[in-house]
Amino acid sequence: MEFVRQHLQIMARTRGPIASARRQWEVAPVAEDVPVVAGDVHTQGAEAGHDAEGFPSGPCDPLVLTEYGDHVAVSIWNREERPELKLFSHGRKVQKFGRPAPEIEGLVDAIGLSPLIVCSVEIGDRGLISAFVERWHKETSSFHLPVGEVTITLDDVASLLHLPIIGAFHTFEPLHVDEVVLMLVELLEVSGEEARIETTQCHGAYVRLSWLRDIYQRRCQAGHWTVAAHAYLLHLLGCILFANKSATHVHVVFLDAFRDFSQSGSYAWGASALLHMYDHLNDACKSGDRQLAGYITLLQCWIYEHFPSVVERLTDPDYDELSPRACRWIATKASLKSISASTYRQRLDGLRIPDVCWMPYGEHQAVWEFDLISCFSDHL
């Protein structure tokens, strides 16, 4: 992917903003849940953004946090009701789908995406994640906490997920529906009529995850393993790495990354996951947004690792130390406690430097080494 910027800040209390980039994978409208957009509840806050004195108990210099007037923090300060975010996490779809057929399992592993099959929490903690999203700021690409600014880094991605963070970026070009049909015909070996019916049903350059599962099963039965791998990998990206708010669709443009398997293994999938998560956080911290998509597991397990005093965590007693760190955490309906965002908000308000685990992966570096690229904290 061609990125104008990478949010690759080292975890620290930094101040410098990181440049923003347009999302190159969300290039067409998708049939998805429409967010409940609140009215203009920030009129007073937005007007304050043009005042040299800034915001009450907020930034005194509005030139730094330029979009603070539309931030959810203004609503909270004004004591306006803020529902907990609706989370779109599709890890259970992957778990039910199962591991790839033995004939393509080595291929999925060589590309570097096999950790995605097992690195998914079952349930997202809405209260916990909502409380953290309230403190995310697009301009600095970081969570603003009492201990300073903290963010998810490439080291977190590498340690938690074991995804490659160094490599090439694939450029996803916007696709016309006719181009999508041709790609489906070529890479999934469906008829032009079937491809057009599917894209028409999805209202654009998308296909249903359920349709992909059916294609995968049919190609496995026919022994067309390359095509089966295409379907499996696109399903994996749609459920995990590039999950959107539709809960049922995936953009066909990602299929182009698997046109040449010899190149697919050279991509920095971990950096892509981080950037995609940042972009969804940028949306979710706005006052009118009520939903969060992206790789929820990455965010939730990052919180588990660094903020033990904020959330009660449950570890898997059968965790294999050689596995990605995200696999050590259990998040099920039975294990998660119904703690509200307001309670987590109070815990974050009382956060102190000793409460944060700044370097949680020391023992894990014997399994997955720290890479110096994780220290990158400038514009690209």
Side-chain angles (χ1 to χ4, degrees):
M1 280 157 272
E2 182 183 6
F3 298 134
V4 179
R5 56 96 172 131
Q6 292 182 45
H7 294 304
L8 310 182
Q9 293 170 291
I10 186 173
M11 182 164 295
R13 289 172 285 166
T14 58
R15 282 299 188 187
I18 300 299
S20 62
R22 63 186 178 89
R23 290 175 222 128
Q24 297 198 27
W25 39 74
E26 296 181 5
V27 295
V30 60
E32 61 183 29
D33 297 343
V34 179
V36 180
V37 180
D40 187 6
V41 297
H42 295 300
T43 302
Q44 182 178 357
E47 291 175 354
H50 300 289
D51 193 323
E53 296 181 357
F55 294 81
S57 291
C60 60
D61 183 0
L63 296 179
V64 178
L65 299 180
T66 57
E67 300 185 26
Y68 191 80
D70 294 323
H71 197 276
V72 64
V74 178
S75 298
I76 296 172
W77 176 257
N78 292 335
R79 300 184 183 279
E80 296 165 358
E81 184 178 354
R82 164 74 170 181
E84 293 179 352
L85 292 169
K86 180 178 181 181
L87 306 179
F88 290 90
S89 179
H90 315 313
R92 281 182 292 181
K93 291 185 176 69
V94 174
Q95 293 172 2
K96 291 180 179 179
F97 195 24
R99 300 193 64 85
E103 290 80 0
I104 65 172
E105 192 164 11
L107 177 60
V108 176
D109 184 63
I111 291 174
L113 293 176
S114 56
L116 297 178
I117 301 172
V118 295
C119 289
S120 292
V121 295
E122 184 174 322
I123 299 293
D125 191 329
R126 294 179 61 189
L128 177 66
I129 290 178
S130 295
F132 269 86
V133 170
E134 293 169 358
R135 294 172 178 269
W136 176 266
H137 288 273
K138 175 181 179 179
E139 298 88 340
T140 59
S141 301
S142 60
F143 299 97
H144 291 206
L145 302 172
V147 297
E149 293 179 31
V150 183
T151 195
I152 310 171
T153 69
L154 283 178
D155 185 46
D156 291 303
V157 175
S159 298
L160 287 170
L161 309 176
H162 287 189
L163 291 178
I165 59 175
I166 297 178
F169 293 116
H170 182 83
T171 300
F172 291 122
E173 300 291 348
L175 296 178
H176 186 271
V177 174
D178 292 338
E179 295 175 298
V180 170
V181 170
L182 292 176
M183 187 177 293
L184 292 174
V185 171
E186 176 188 358
L187 300 181
L188 294 186
E189 295 185 356
V190 297
S191 67
E193 180 182 5
E194 184 178 2
R196 195 164 295 280
I197 290 174
E198 181 63 21
T199 54
T200 299
Q201 182 172 341
C202 296
H203 306 288
Y206 295 82
V207 295
R208 291 168 297 151
L209 294 170
S210 58
W211 183 77
L212 276 178
R213 291 192 290 270
D214 180 63
I215 294 295
Y216 170 75
Q217 297 293 348
R218 286 156 51 187
R219 298 300 175 264
C220 285
Q221 292 172 3
H224 297 173
W225 300 116
T226 298
V227 182
H230 287 153
Y232 187 91
L233 289 166
L234 182 58
H235 182 274
L236 191 61
L237 291 188
C239 286
I240 305 294
L241 210 61
F242 301 139
N244 56 45
K245 297 177 182 179
S246 71
T248 57
H249 297 63
V250 60
H251 203 303
V252 178
V253 71
F254 301 128
L255 188 58
D256 191 57
F258 307 116
R259 185 182 295 274
D260 183 355
F261 285 136
S262 65
Q263 292 294 321
S264 303
S266 67
Y267 297 143
W269 294 108
S272 303
L274 183 59
L275 178 58
H276 197 62
M277 188 74 257
Y278 276 22
D279 281 335
H280 281 289
L281 287 169
N282 292 342
D283 290 337
C285 69
K286 297 177 182 177
S287 60
D289 208 291
R290 299 289 184 268
Q291 302 170 325
L292 177 65
Y295 200 174
I296 302 298
T297 294
L298 171 59
L299 175 57
Q300 187 158 315
C301 290
W302 174 79
I303 296 173
Y304 286 168
E305 292 283 357
H306 291 279
F307 302 94
S309 66
V310 173
V311 59
E312 298 178 21
R313 311 165 300 174
L314 183 62
T315 57
D316 185 350
D318 298 323
Y319 168 67
D320 182 355
E321 295 292 339
L322 299 179
S323 301
R325 287 274 290 202
C327 296
R328 73 190 294 232
W329 303 113
I330 297 177
T332 62
K333 288 184 177 180
S335 64
L336 288 183
K337 297 183 178 180
S338 299
I339 300 178
S340 65
S342 60
T343 299
Y344 281 123
R345 192 181 301 148
Q346 294 173 0
R347 294 181 182 181
L348 288 177
D349 287 341
L351 199 64
R352 296 295 178 264
I353 289 178
D355 299 328
V356 181
C357 183
W358 297 100
M359 301 177 66
Y361 311 120
E363 59 189 36
H364 195 68
Q365 288 181 6
V367 177
W368 202 265
E369 293 185 359
F370 177 84
D371 197 289
L372 288 178
I373 192 65
S374 299
C375 295
F376 182 81
S377 59
D378 202 346
H379 299 269
L380 178 63

